[in-house]
Amino acid sequence: MIVILDSSITEQSEEYQRTLDHLSQLPGITARIHKVQGDQQDLTEIYLIGDTKTLSADDIQALPGVERVIRVSEEYRILGRHRDQQRVSGFEYNGVLFSQDTLHVFAGLCAVDTPEHVEIMLKALHERGQVCTRMGAYKPRTNPYSFQGHGKNCLPYVFDLAGKYGIKVIAMEVTHESHVDEIHESLKQAGQPTGVMVQIGTRNTQNFELLKAVGRQQEYPVLFKRGFGITLNESLNAAEYLASEGNSRVVFCLRGVKTNMGDPHRNLVDFSHVPVVKRLTRMPVCVDPSHSVGSRERAPDSIPDLMHATAQGVATGANMVLVDFHPAPAKALVDGPQALLMSELDWFLEDIALARECYEKRLALVERQRSRQKL
Ligand code: PEP
Ligand code: MN
């Protein structure tokens, strides 16, 4: 059970103390306080853990300073929405707001190769007012002899260049908890010129020890990719590991699922799950068209499949787009065939803006439908 306090209640107030004292004394129940950072306001939520079935939600609702009481289903306790449409979603990180209402594009290199390519990419983003990017330093590869990423060696120039071009958040995959420490150390050395959203890749979706370690740190938010071969429910439970350890600043990323049924795409595009993840959880939802589609192939209408897939995600309310670009895809060390060209960046951003406009119009339409039904 979750007890949400009125946003005007402070820890010093008498109501807070009285309610907390009451809840702490409930037999067989542990009360755990959670501070929730929302995009509008910060809230205090008290989690009641134990056998809460016998508790009366009405009695608790009547305690001083209580705004609402939510009975949670067992799954994804912290990240779940539990059918409560008003639950706060999202967080702010390094001046950028992430919620189920916002939209950010993270265009960048799948894998960092040279400082020149990083600079071309970041400069282009800066010139287009973008403040987020993706930069892979640690690459999980199918083949042990393939390029594994430059690791910590590339972090100094990646972070310096990000600072130079006003990039605020870099999505960067980690495959081991020590990578978070390396990122932390490198950002400190560089004087904190930018921020990092730590990415958990699809191969590590159920690497529970990695999830626990990344969940224990609360400095960096997490971009969590769904598992390529497990159910959505299993992926959402895995994301909850992060929150259960203390880090609930998590963005959930759809990246397609592995099955031959998706051929000729690299994965079967699963962006129809955007509204599902928003309904089941409070996480902002990202789509990764690059790893879903896996090529620059175009449809007869001349639009790349990858841009069609992106539009499908954005028109249904995606909050983030993670996408591979490369200044010279033929020279890319990882995933060149799916990287969009720098000359396609303006087109891609404009196409996303159109899809977003479509989503906003669809929201206005549902409002009109609601008022029609009320009449
Ligand atoms: C990536 O984003 O670079 C990546 C490896 O993605 P995924 O984990 O979805 O395969
Ligand atoms: Mn890749």
Side-chain angles (χ1 to χ4, degrees):
M1 186 177 273
I2 301 174
V3 183
I4 301 180
L5 299 187
D6 200 284
S7 59
S8 61
I9 299 289
T10 64
E11 280 176 40
Q12 289 73 36
S13 66
E14 203 196 314
E15 292 109 310
Y16 182 89
Q17 277 314 325
R18 274 177 40 208
T19 294
L20 195 61
D21 286 349
H22 178 88
L23 297 174
S24 309
Q25 282 159 21
L26 291 171
I29 302 285
T30 310
R32 224 164 76 184
I33 299 169
H34 258 258
K35 297 277 174 212
V36 185
Q37 188 201 22
D39 58 350
Q40 308 278 329
Q41 59 196 17
D42 289 351
L43 283 181
T44 303
E45 295 187 345
I46 304 174
Y47 286 71
L48 301 183
I49 298 156
D51 184 14
T52 54
K53 281 190 215 75
T54 53
L55 297 179
S56 151
D58 289 343
D59 288 355
I60 293 175
Q61 174 83 56
L63 292 172
V66 173
E67 189 196 292
R68 299 199 311 289
V69 175
I70 306 172
R71 277 205 189 274
V72 300
S73 50
E74 278 305 303
E75 294 186 304
Y76 8 107
R77 274 192 202 169
I78 300 173
L79 296 176
R81 185 168 276 293
H82 309 296
R83 297 178 187 278
D84 184 301
Q85 300 312 328
Q86 300 165 57
R87 282 201 89 191
V88 176
S89 83
F91 55 88
E92 190 192 317
Y93 174 65
N94 208 22
V96 184
L97 206 59
F98 295 91
S99 81
Q100 288 192 338
D101 300 318
T102 56
L103 175 63
H104 300 288
V105 180
F106 281 59
L109 306 183
C110 177
V112 171
D113 42 24
T114 67
E116 292 71 29
H117 289 154
V118 173
E119 180 149 24
I120 292 170
M121 187 70 233
L122 299 185
K123 184 164 180 287
L125 291 172
H126 175 68
E127 285 165 359
R128 288 156 182 85
Q130 300 293 312
V131 295
C132 301
T133 190
R134 59 159 294 148
M135 288 286 153
Y138 308 93
K139 300 305 301 177
R141 304 303 302 282
T142 303
N143 182 333
Y145 307 109
S146 303
F147 173 63
Q148 305 281 313
H150 288 310
K152 68 176 177 188
N153 295 336
C154 68
L155 300 182
Y157 66 79
V158 170
F159 293 157
D160 278 347
L161 288 167
K164 177 172 172 190
Y165 291 109
I167 299 294
K168 295 191 175 306
V169 188
I170 304 174
M172 184 177 280
E173 178 164 0
V174 298
T175 56
H176 190 272
E177 59 185 282
S178 61
H179 299 157
V180 181
D181 299 333
E182 290 176 5
I183 289 169
H184 183 80
E185 202 41 47
S186 196
L187 278 174
K188 199 163 87 185
Q189 292 284 325
Q192 313 292 349
T194 187
V196 168
M197 184 181 276
V198 169
Q199 183 175 322
I200 301 285
T202 195
R203 292 159 188 79
N204 278 312
T205 303
Q206 286 186 314
N207 181 343
F208 299 120
E209 297 310 316
L210 177 65
L211 296 179
K212 285 190 218 167
V214 171
R216 277 194 295 274
Q217 66 77 34
Q218 289 175 38
E219 185 158 11
Y220 307 108
V222 183
L223 178 62
F224 178 86
K225 291 210 164 179
R226 86 170 292 173
F228 59 74
I230 55 177
T231 64
L232 182 65
N233 175 273
E234 285 164 337
S235 289
L236 295 177
N237 268 297
E240 179 77 8
Y241 266 86
L242 297 160
S244 74
E245 293 290 331
N247 192 348
S248 50
R249 298 196 293 172
V250 185
V251 176
F252 189 87
C253 182
L254 297 169
R255 48 81 69 210
V257 291
K258 208 182 211 32
T259 154
N260 291 345
M261 305 293 172
D263 292 357
H265 290 160
R266 183 172 174 181
N267 285 284
L268 181 67
V269 180
D270 55 351
F271 298 170
S272 56
H273 276 165
V274 168
V276 179
V277 178
K278 287 172 102 170
R279 178 167 66 246
L280 294 176
T281 79
R282 303 181 289 152
M283 290 183 275
V285 183
C286 175
V287 290
D288 175 346
S290 305
H291 292 83
S292 298
V293 170
S295 83
R296 274 192 302 275
E297 286 290 322
R298 294 186 180 198
D301 58 16
S302 300
I303 300 175
D305 293 11
L306 203 150
M307 284 172 57
H308 275 304
T310 306
Q312 286 159 18
V314 173
T316 54
N319 307 111
M320 182 168 152
V321 177
L322 186 76
V323 59
D324 293 358
F325 270 78
H326 199 283
K331 291 191 196 153
L333 298 176
V334 185
D335 284 348
Q338 71 190 25
L340 291 172
L341 314 178
M342 299 312 296
S343 57
E344 295 170 331
L345 181 57
D346 284 317
W347 177 22
F348 185 72
L349 293 173
E350 272 179 55
D351 201 50
I352 288 183
L354 273 182
R356 178 70 182 181
E357 202 182 307
C358 170
Y359 177 63
E360 281 161 6
K361 286 185 174 161
R362 295 179 65 221
L363 289 181
L365 177 60
V366 76
E367 273 311 313
R368 287 202 296 281
Q369 175 66 9
R370 266 203 202 128
S371 42
R372 266 184 221 137
Q373 281 172 339
K374 269 189 213 131
L375 289 177

